[in-house]
Amino acid sequence: MDLDGLRAFLLERLTEDEHRAASGRVTQLDEAERLGRLRVLRTDDGRGLLLAAGPVDTGELVPFAEKAPLLRAEIVVADSDTLRLLASAYDAHHGWQEEWRASPPA
């Protein structure tokens, strides 16, 4: 799997989502969370974020403006499983590749 290509795809989608948020529209990442594909959670100490697969009911979504810079930094260093999970938020995009589909948990 081309992790550099996946990272570039994710950074581009995050930039698009930042533009959506700036114009008052719902981001694709927030929509994927609402649909239960994945969930971005705050760490217990509140200083970081965790990415979880599937619907996790923790109340309110982490605001996009708060999670975007942390996700941008994580994309650069994340492992393939984390990248693939995050990519699932953008699987309707024309640049998304089937090889990025996250494997279901064993």
Side-chain angles (χ1 to χ4, degrees):
M1 176 184 331
D2 176 17
L3 290 183
D4 289 335
L6 178 52
R7 284 187 174 93
F9 173 83
L10 286 168
L11 291 170
E12 289 169 6
R13 300 299 71 76
L14 196 54
T15 297
E16 288 175 357
D17 269 352
E18 288 168 333
H19 291 224
R20 279 186 189 86
S23 66
R25 298 182 347 221
V26 175
T27 67
Q28 288 183 333
L29 182 60
D30 286 344
E31 186 62 22
E33 286 189 82
R34 286 188 183 99
L35 293 173
R37 292 187 193 159
L38 57 100
R39 191 64 184 254
V40 178
L41 310 165
R42 284 188 179 87
T43 56
D44 289 340
D45 65 8
R47 296 188 322 196
L49 299 177
L50 299 171
L51 186 60
V56 177
D57 186 18
T58 61
E60 281 189 43
L61 295 175
V62 174
F64 183 79
E66 183 180 331
K67 63 187 164 193
L70 294 171
L71 288 173
R72 184 172 291 285
E74 180 64 23
I75 288 168
V76 177
V77 297
D79 63 23
S80 65
D81 289 338
T82 301
L83 294 172
R84 290 167 46 187
L85 177 57
L86 189 54
S88 70
Y90 303 105
D91 68 356
H93 188 275
H94 64 84
W96 191 84
Q97 297 180 24
E98 187 62 30
E99 72 177 12
W100 297 338
R101 186 166 305 284
S103 303

